Amino acid sequence: MKGMLQTPKGVAFIVCALAAAVAAQATLTGEWAMSFTTPRGGRSEYTLYMTQEGPRLTGHLTSEYGETPVKGSVNGDEVKLAWSIMENGKPLDISVTATVNGDSLNGTIKLGTIGEGAFNAERTGGQ
């Protein structure tokens, strides 16, 4: 590797390889159609708006019930999201662990102490 850095071609190769690696990591910034199955078998659908800055995710989700802030992180193809809602007058912490594959997120959602269900999101809007 040391020899590669001593020639212009070697430096150009390394720069191109790093640029390709950065370009391969697609951003999660954009609009997503999100749905999940509740532990009791119900289905919920939201629109998720995310902004990715490095490994950090911020955004909000919307539904007929309003808007809720979302935060999270991405590490390779693993995505973690979290938010809270009020359920029967008490806060309910919700967390998602998913895998990103192109314009899809698939994984598991945990609804506080209620239980878990399947989670899915598909990109619907640009980056």
Side-chain angles (χ1 to χ4, degrees), residues 83-87 90-94 110-114:
W83 66 92
S84 293
I85 60 170
M86 294 302 287
E87 182 76 21
K90 298 178 184 175
L92 177 64
D93 294 328
I94 300 172
K110 182 176 180 192
L111 303 165
T113 58
I114 297 172

Side-chain angles (χ1 to χ4, degrees), residues 34-80:
M34 179 185 102
S35 62
F36 60 89
T37 305
T38 66
R40 296 182 183 118
R43 186 143 181 92
S44 294
E45 295 183 355
Y46 295 86
T47 301
L48 173 63
Y49 299 92
M50 285 193 291
T51 300
Q52 180 179 348
E53 295 175 353
R56 192 176 73 140
L57 298 170
T58 56
H60 64 277
L61 53 89
T62 61
S63 72
E64 68 269 21
Y65 303 112
E67 189 174 295
T68 303
V70 175
K71 60 183 176 180
S73 64
V74 60
N75 183 7
D77 64 354
E78 182 184 66
V79 176
K80 293 188 179 224

